Amino acid sequence: MQCVRRQPVRTKSQESLYRAQSKTVARDNMKLLGLEGDKDLQFLINGGDLLKVRSGSWKKTRYYKLQEDCKTMWHESKKTLKSKHTFSVEDIEAVRTGRQTEGLRKYTEETVEGRAFSILFKGGQKNLDLIASSDEEAKKWINGLEKVISNTNNLSPQKKTEHWIYSCMRKADINFDNKMSQNEVKSFLQDINIEVDEDYAEMLFKKCDQSKCGFLEGKEIEHFYKILTQREEIDVIYGQYAKTDGLMSAADLLNFLMNEQKEDASQNDALQLIEKYELDENARAKQQMTKDGFLMYLRQPEGLIFNPAHKSVYQDMNQPLNHYFISSSHNTYLLKDQLKGPSSTEAYIKALLKGCRCVELDCWDGSDGEPVIYHGYTLTSKILFKDVIKAIKEYAFKTSEYPVILSLENHCNVEQQKTMAQHLISILGSALVTKPLGDHMPTSFPSPEELKGRFIVKGKRLNKLEDIFSDESKTVDEEIVTEEEDDEGDEDREKKSSESKSLKLAKELSDIVIYCKSVSFHGFEDSREKQSFYEMASFKEGKAVKLAEESANDYIRHNTDKLSRIYPAGLRADSSNFNPVPLWNAGCQIVALNFQTPCLEMNLNQGLFLQNGQSGYILKPSYLRDRDTEFDPITLTKGPWLKRKTLHVMVISAQQLPKLSQRKSSIVDPIVQVQIYGVPADTTMVETQYIENNGFNPMWNENFQFDVCVPDLALVRFLIEDYDVATDNEFIGQYTLPFNSLKNGYHHVPLLTMNGDLLSSAGLFVHIMVMDAE
């Protein structure tokens, strides 16, 4: 092969070559996504002008296009390449058609409905509100983006890895000649989060530079890719079980499934895995699995740490509503803090799509007789009550079909309360529960199954539910009631809001409060003697935690036939959260957290509700449903809750951890923590050593052991941080799941951002063994 000297600067011919290669790159990536020749995708790559809307006075034309990698959107003020900005398709949470955001509804006319759309981002990034030049072009933008997002999400882990690595290679190819010099190889390694010394980089380069030309191209780059992505730990495991001419037969695979993964598998199960994941046609025809097929299997749902049987609804959904933990949100309308953060219908949509089944609506008098929702006596923005109900109606049952509780904090006058009731009835229609199920007065809650697709209002009620079935029922049209203020704590705010603690309640709003009547808590004995099953109290976190610590068994018994709602203290102005685990241990069903705040506590919430089909309802263990239970998570006496298990965890390796700094030279030093959250006796944490300068394929091979007393209430959290000797470690990724959802054997652990979004391609590889304690 003839060697060619590399040019330091691109010539005109190189520019021409670069443009031609860009088309090839675009075509290759379209093919990778399964969208080769797709007209909508080609439209995105060609790009076009869109009107960006920020306010009534800020509406400017921007040029947008999808880059050739088919994963990065690029836009600029003018077609000059001088002020370009990009964002990744993987950062997009959703594309909404029409004027669905507050910004578009407020700052645009109805006439642009067909031309308008919004791009919503994961995390706290602001929406992108856009208007196309025609309805037809808007459809092309929306269809193209949705196809790219969907097909990108559906790529296999191997394809995602391949796509990512080749994108990094192209980025490192400074003069775009499709070749890599030794300096470009080192730059590329830094891009993918590996720091190597000069000697290793030179050795790796020479090993691949078979032509001795001083650069890599074609097959040499492929060889470099294979060396880079080789998984030594997978090689060892595969080698132990591949006993059929160096490959893994169905019998070999079955041996692995039964002895290593501890699965109750059959020969047919092994054959199905080969058929599903083996890419080599010859091996598949011989009913054998290659090492690549084996790795493919380990990175699919069957090979992940979370038990796939728990991905769908597997629990009994016919128990009374109060027998379940219910995914619940506090101040659901807020996108950020509760002093001056924006309120948005989008916050409700995000919570509902995450499986939240109890949302909060803080209702205040608005102008023109229309109630609004915001955090009273603060600078948070206001949104219309009716717009919130419309958004809830549309998105309530997209993730889960089980009931949604609308928790009303009511500060409105009687007339606006009547308006609230009208909106609830007219918008939600027959889905709104306006009377008890059945023809007779119930003695307990209906089940989630009976309430599928229904809305339940939680709030004040003027009379007893029993009065509905009484001929002598006499209810006044309105009456002064005491309204619990959710966010007590700030003395000044309490003084300001003292007049709102007592208000007249409209009969129309009272009548649609059926199964969740708000009452004050005056002690467990008072509740037992005077409180009906449908009357529920809300507890500020401090009060609830004190009860859970000092009167745990009484609290648990209270929650066997009543609902309890827990909410964060008002002093949490930053919308931070409290630890929900002790409240779940006490049987509290509605532990309301600030969903808008990425934090450990929300990780735990997401982990608990990951199971049972992300339905938002988790059946409490039997000893939390038995009104005569002796269970106390603090003292932990003997009982059916003690199911002692020994958990063995081997932290083996991680793959493709993200860089935390944009600086090329900044490489992470990953360290892994394995944490257990549950009853106090089970709560613990261990950590590995840190690996210096390797976020691409660090390896630990460290073993840990945990003794778990109450596995039913335990959560396991895997946390990866960037170790720093001088300051606090920096978060990289985490994954939390119920202890009882762990799978035995070798498994990949997907990694999530603090906000709960999947880190594409990144993962942790572990070995798990759960055994009965001796």
Side-chain angles (χ1 to χ4, degrees), residues 556 560 621-626 629 631 640-641 643 710 712-713:
I556 289 167
T560 59
S622 59
Y623 46 84
L624 293 182
R625 310 194 308 263
D626 177 7
T629 183
F631 176 64
W641 44 86
K643 305 172 184 176
V710 188
D712 293 338
L713 295 175

Side-chain angles (χ1 to χ4, degrees), residues 158-201:
Q158 278 78 2
K159 287 293 183 183
K160 285 182 180 179
T161 298
E162 183 179 323
H163 193 192
W164 176 67
I165 288 179
Y166 274 105
S167 294
C168 290
M169 282 182 174
R170 293 187 190 103
K171 180 182 175 183
D173 185 10
I174 298 170
N175 62 358
F176 304 97
D177 63 356
N178 228 18
K179 302 172 184 177
M180 295 186 73
S181 67
Q182 187 169 328
N183 284 336
E184 286 177 336
V185 165
K186 188 172 182 184
S187 173
F188 162 72
L189 291 173
Q190 288 180 329
D191 279 338
I192 64 171
N193 221 353
I194 310 176
E195 179 67 51
V196 297
D197 60 34
E198 294 288 345
D199 291 340
Y200 180 79

Side-chain angles (χ1 to χ4, degrees), residues 463 467-475:
N463 60 348
D467 292 342
I468 294 177
F469 298 91
S470 172
D471 295 334
E472 300 178 4
S473 174
K474 294 180 180 180
T475 305

Side-chain angles (χ1 to χ4, degrees), residues 253-529:
L253 180 56
L254 178 60
N255 189 23
F256 171 79
L257 295 174
M258 295 178 67
N259 293 323
E260 208 66 68
Q261 309 296 77
K262 305 300 180 185
E263 293 184 18
D264 184 16
S266 66
Q267 182 91 352
N268 189 53
D269 294 324
L271 288 170
Q272 286 182 354
L273 289 176
I274 292 172
E275 182 64 29
K276 191 173 183 180
Y277 295 122
E278 180 51 56
L279 301 178
D280 186 289
E281 293 182 7
N282 292 329
R284 193 166 64 245
K286 295 177 181 177
Q287 297 182 335
Q288 293 176 330
M289 183 174 268
T290 63
K291 187 168 59 182
D292 288 341
F294 182 66
L295 178 58
M296 173 78 82
Y297 145 69
L298 283 176
R299 298 196 65 180
Q300 295 298 326
E302 292 93 337
L304 298 183
I305 193 170
F306 183 76
N307 187 344
H310 292 182
K311 282 184 172 290
S312 57
V313 175
Y314 70 97
Q315 295 178 342
D316 178 7
M317 302 302 284
N318 292 293
Q319 299 278 332
L321 202 67
N322 64 304
H323 283 186
Y324 298 83
F325 296 125
I326 303 171
S327 180
S328 307
S329 166
H330 173 251
N331 288 350
T332 315
Y333 47 89
L334 291 177
L335 288 172
K336 292 184 179 178
D337 69 84
Q338 60 187 44
L339 289 183
K340 55 184 179 179
S343 304
S344 172
T345 55
E346 193 58 42
Y348 285 92
I349 294 170
K350 287 185 175 185
L352 291 166
L353 291 178
K354 288 180 178 179
C356 180
R357 298 291 86 188
C358 179
V359 296
E360 184 181 24
L361 301 89
D362 287 6
C363 308
W364 299 80
D365 293 334
S367 58
D368 301 323
E370 284 293 344
V372 294
I373 290 176
Y374 81 112
H375 203 236
Y377 306 107
T378 68
L379 298 176
T380 58
S381 60
K382 301 174 181 179
I383 48 178
L384 290 175
F385 177 84
K386 64 180 178 182
D387 286 346
V388 169
I389 302 304
K390 289 175 182 176
I392 290 173
K393 165 87 180 290
E394 184 172 354
Y395 288 92
F397 305 111
K398 289 187 180 295
T399 296
S400 168
E401 56 189 345
Y402 291 99
V404 171
I405 300 170
L406 307 177
S407 181
L408 301 184
E409 187 181 311
N410 174 21
H411 304 274
C412 294
N413 63 38
V414 171
E415 289 306 311
Q416 295 212 12
Q417 289 178 42
K418 291 179 180 179
T419 302
M420 288 166 57
Q422 289 169 4
H423 287 322
L424 286 164
I425 292 168
S426 63
I427 295 170
L428 301 181
S430 60
L432 180 66
V433 174
T434 57
K435 60 181 182 180
L437 274 59
D439 299 325
H440 305 285
M441 176 60 203
T443 57
S444 64
F445 288 99
S447 69
E449 193 68 31
E450 292 174 290
L451 290 167
K452 266 185 180 178
R454 305 296 297 274
F455 295 96
I456 305 167
V457 174
K458 172 198 164 290
K460 287 291 182 179
R461 185 179 171 89
L462 291 169
N463 60 348
K464 288 274 192 177
L465 196 59
E466 289 85 345
D467 292 342
I468 294 177
F469 298 91
S470 172
D471 295 334
E472 300 178 4
S473 174
K474 294 180 180 180
T475 305
V476 292
D477 287 348
E478 55 194 54
E479 186 177 293
I480 293 177
V481 297
T482 301
E483 179 69 22
E484 281 76 35
E485 177 74 37
D486 254 11
D487 301 303
E488 298 172 4
D490 186 305
E491 288 188 8
D492 292 336
R493 190 163 181 265
E494 278 197 46
K495 289 176 183 176
K496 289 178 184 178
S497 62
S498 61
E499 72 275 9
S500 73
K501 294 293 185 69
S502 297
L503 79 161
K504 286 186 176 181
L505 179 63
K507 181 178 183 297
E508 289 84 349
L509 191 58
S510 166
D511 284 350
I512 57 177
V513 173
I514 305 300
Y515 289 112
C516 296
K517 177 184 177 181
S518 298
V519 297
S520 298
F521 178 75
H522 300 294
F524 294 122
E525 184 176 349
D526 179 81
S527 296
R528 280 194 302 272
E529 294 177 357

